Amino acid sequence: MAAWARAVRGMLLDVSGVLYDSGGDGGVPIAGSVEAVRRIKASGLKLRFCTNETQATREKFVKKLQGMGFDISMAEVTAPAPAACRILKERSLRPHLLVHNDLVAEFAEIDKANPNCVVIGDAAENFTYANLNEAFRVLIGMEKPVLISLGRGRYYKETDGLKLDVGAYMKALEYACDVQAEVVGKPAKTFFESALAEMGVPAQQAIMIGDDIVNDVGGAQRCGLRALQVRTGKYRPCDENHPDVKPDAYVNNLAEAVDIILQQL
């Protein structure tokens, strides 16, 4: 039996590309994923849903997944926006937001007057030249620019194909303003540490399942977790020849991974 599946007490699941493929119509569940989540919960394993989703509030995001049949609650979701809000409050930062319209509500309690930093998320259609240039002007006008990014993904998959993610636009601002972004979502170490703390499971007894070879798999492994890559979502065959990141295993989908892990319990 697979050595990587032994002594697992907690599971961290990426959402887009593992549970479902997003899209303009709301998206569609990946075959077997709804039942796989149900089986994880029935087994007694600890579970966190770890997402870099920044096109909607957690409340709307969770309601969408519930509508697809997933057993999921807001309390089980680790996401970048709430973590970013904690940082902004702790450091008295007032953000200029370059985010999706549907995410703005997450920052309702944050002072945004006279910005002294920029927060960038997956703004989708809001990634216009005018909006990027406005964020650039805020940053370039600071003596010590602060850029906070809600992830650094390169691309993701929707039902109509691959789409550019926030990382591409984050890199443009980094280059233009000679600044290093502070990444709040995956693959940041603090993101995975938060999820583990919320589960109450040490890294050595947890496993991450994702479709992103760098941010899901590589990020988790750097924190001491085992990590699997599914062959769904944004996965491409060339991922299996990545020069730096080698998953503990590849699985065809979440359902296959759950089958193997539950056999070890």
Side-chain angles (χ1 to χ4, degrees):
M1 195 57 67
W4 57 261
R6 293 179 186 144
V8 173
R9 288 183 49 219
M11 296 178 67
L12 282 65
L13 303 184
D14 181 29
V15 178
S16 179
V18 174
L19 300 188
Y20 82 115
D21 284 325
S22 59
D25 54 356
V28 295
I30 292 169
S33 59
V34 171
E35 176 65 10
V37 170
R38 186 198 66 75
R39 293 180 66 203
I40 294 169
K41 291 196 168 186
S43 74
L45 289 171
K46 297 291 184 68
L47 177 63
R48 295 295 297 179
F49 299 94
C50 297
T51 179
N52 271 5
E53 169 65 43
T54 56
Q55 287 194 16
T57 62
R58 279 186 304 164
E59 182 178 6
K60 288 184 179 179
F61 180 60
V62 166
K63 283 182 177 178
K64 179 174 75 171
L65 290 170
Q66 289 172 341
M68 294 181 189
F70 289 102
D71 180 2
I72 182 174
S73 68
M74 271 185 57
E76 296 171 311
V77 176
T78 302
C85 287
R86 288 194 294 271
I87 291 171
L88 295 170
K89 289 177 180 178
E90 290 168 1
R91 293 164 56 182
S92 298
L93 292 171
R94 302 178 304 277
H96 169 84
L97 297 177
L98 179 50
V99 300
H100 197 281
N101 290 340
D102 290 343
L103 190 72
V104 172
E106 289 273 21
F107 297 87
E109 298 181 4
I110 301 295
D111 182 6
K112 294 177 279 292
N114 190 25
N116 58 2
C117 73
V118 168
V119 171
I120 184 172
D122 181 11
E125 288 77 11
N126 280 349
F127 278 136
T128 64
Y129 173 81
N131 288 342
L132 279 165
N133 199 53
E134 187 176 3
F136 159 74
R137 285 177 171 175
V138 171
L139 287 169
I140 205 71
M142 299 177 189
E143 183 177 347
K144 294 182 178 180
V146 176
L147 174 61
I148 296 174
S149 185
L150 307 180
R152 71 172 192 196
R154 296 172 296 168
Y155 54 87
Y156 56 94
K157 183 183 178 184
E158 289 196 341
T159 51
D160 62 347
L162 299 177
K163 303 290 180 71
L164 277 176
D165 204 350
V166 61
Y169 303 95
M170 177 198 82
K171 286 293 184 182
L173 290 175
E174 283 186 330
Y175 176 69
C177 302
D178 194 22
V179 61
Q180 176 108 24
E182 301 176 35
V183 179
V184 176
K186 295 176 290 184
K189 187 176 181 181
T190 52
F191 184 92
F192 290 101
E193 288 174 342
S194 294
L196 291 168
E198 288 157 359
M199 284 199 306
V201 173
Q204 296 79 5
Q205 296 178 355
I207 195 161
M208 173 73 197
I209 301 177
D211 68 329
D212 188 315
I213 186 71
V214 174
N215 294 322
D216 294 336
V217 175
Q221 288 179 330
R222 284 194 295 274
C223 291
L225 288 88
R226 285 163 279 178
L228 309 184
Q229 187 178 18
V230 290
R231 295 188 177 101
T232 57
K234 71 169 70 172
Y235 163 85
R236 295 187 299 161
C238 64
D239 290 344
E240 302 198 21
N241 297 313
H242 195 280
D244 302 314
V245 182
K246 305 297 179 187
D248 290 85
Y250 293 94
V251 289
N252 288 320
N253 49 44
L254 175 62
E256 181 181 308
V258 171
D259 280 342
I260 297 169
I261 291 168
L262 294 188
Q263 288 173 19
Q264 297 280 354
L265 297 182

